[in-house]
Amino acid sequence: MSRICEVSGKGALVGHMVSHSNRKKLIRQLPNLQTKRFYVPEEDRWVSLRVSAAGLRTIEKRGIYAVVKELGL
């Protein structure tokens, strides 16, 4: 399973870690992913999603039912 948020679509970024001597090392910056279960009262069921912290804020703002409906789950 890839490290991508199911709500916001955030994924890993690639960049350089630059030392004081200006040597560059390639690194991956991974999103802050959490596996969470949400209860959808309109459908009377639980939905398990792998979401980032930004995705959690989106769910709090719009509601879990609107997000699940948009995802087609």
Side-chain angles (χ1 to χ4, degrees):
M1 185 183 328
S2 60
R3 294 184 175 123
I4 295 177
C5 174
E6 295 178 359
V7 174
S8 64
K10 286 186 176 221
L13 298 174
V14 178
H16 286 95
M17 180 169 58
V18 182
S19 68
H20 178 69
S21 63
N22 208 27
R23 292 175 67 179
K24 293 165 185 73
K25 179 180 176 184
L26 202 61
I27 61 166
R28 289 182 73 200
Q29 296 175 339
L30 300 175
N32 182 11
L33 292 182
Q34 313 290 327
T35 302
K36 296 281 186 180
R37 286 178 64 210
F38 299 97
Y39 181 69
V40 184
E42 290 85 358
E43 298 179 1
D44 193 30
R45 69 181 179 119
W46 289 88
V47 176
S48 184
L49 295 174
R50 194 167 187 199
V51 294
S52 64
L56 284 173
R57 293 183 68 204
T58 302
I59 290 171
E60 286 181 19
K61 183 177 181 179
R62 296 179 50 210
I64 185 63
Y65 183 67
V67 172
V68 167
K69 197 166 96 174
E70 182 181 306
L71 292 174
L73 296 177

